[in-house]
Every structure is written in C-alpha cells, then in structure tokens.
Amino acid sequence: LYSFQIFSGMAINVEIKGAVMSKRAKRKHRNALKVLISQALNPLIFLYGPFIILTSSSFFSIKSHLPEKLAQILIHMFPVNNAIIMLMLTDDYRNKLIR
C-alpha cells in the first residue's frame, strides 16, 4: 500500500515538473503533494510505529514500561497530528489561523 503511494507521489512530481502551467499552479500542486505525503506517513509513524515498538520490546525482552508508555502517547497523538498537518501545510488554513 505504501509502495503504491510512494510510486504515485513520484509520478505526480514528475508530471508537475514537466507540465506547462503557471508557477503559482505548480506551487499549489507541490503543496498538495506535500500534504498527501504527510497524510500517508502519519499513520505509518503514529499507528504502525507503536506496534513495531511493542513487538520489538517483547522480542528483545525489555522489562521497562517505557515502550508501552511511548506507544500509548504515539497512538493518542495520531488525530491531533493529523489536524496539525492539515492546518500547517495548507496555505488557506494556515493563513486563516494566523490572522
């Protein structure tokens, strides 16, 4: 699934570079691509990352509670981080928030 998203993102980037459009339109397309890539990486880090942390800590017999606490924090940060990505990487939302 993520390999398809990476391939699609690279293909979109190549198309944007070769397309005949204004600089403003290219910038808007690049910003949309940044948001798309960030939205794709967000669950990878904040949902699958904790699973990897917990699995590796049990595999290596780590007796600390730190991996469990870290996993809880990352999982609970997913929705907040998702909203922050949209607010900070989308020009219209960011400008409205700053005003």
Side-chain angles (χ1 to χ4, degrees):
L1 179 66
Y2 282 101
S3 60
F4 176 72
Q5 290 174 338
I6 291 170
F7 175 75
S8 297
M10 289 171 42
I12 291 170
N13 194 30
V14 168
E15 287 295 321
I16 290 172
K17 284 183 181 178
V20 178
M21 61 177 85
S22 69
K23 289 183 180 183
R24 182 176 180 207
K26 281 187 180 184
R27 185 175 42 106
K28 292 273 187 189
H29 281 273
R30 282 221 170 83
N31 284 345
L33 184 60
K34 286 179 192 175
V35 170
L36 179 68
I37 290 171
S38 299
Q39 289 282 328
L41 291 177
N42 191 31
L44 182 67
I45 295 168
F46 289 95
L47 293 179
Y48 301 132
F51 175 74
I52 293 169
I53 290 170
L54 291 175
T55 305
S56 62
S57 68
S58 66
F59 181 73
F60 292 117
S61 299
I62 298 174
K63 303 292 184 209
S64 174
H65 292 288
L66 181 67
E68 296 168 7
K69 298 295 182 188
L70 183 62
Q72 287 177 354
I73 290 170
L74 287 175
I75 289 172
H76 286 93
M77 285 184 63
F78 172 71
V80 174
N81 194 37
N82 205 18
I84 289 172
I85 287 171
M86 285 302 294
L87 287 173
M88 292 297 129
L89 293 181
T90 306
D91 291 337
D92 295 334
Y93 291 147
R94 184 177 60 235
N95 292 338
K96 189 69 172 178
L97 185 68
I98 291 173
R99 272 194 238 169

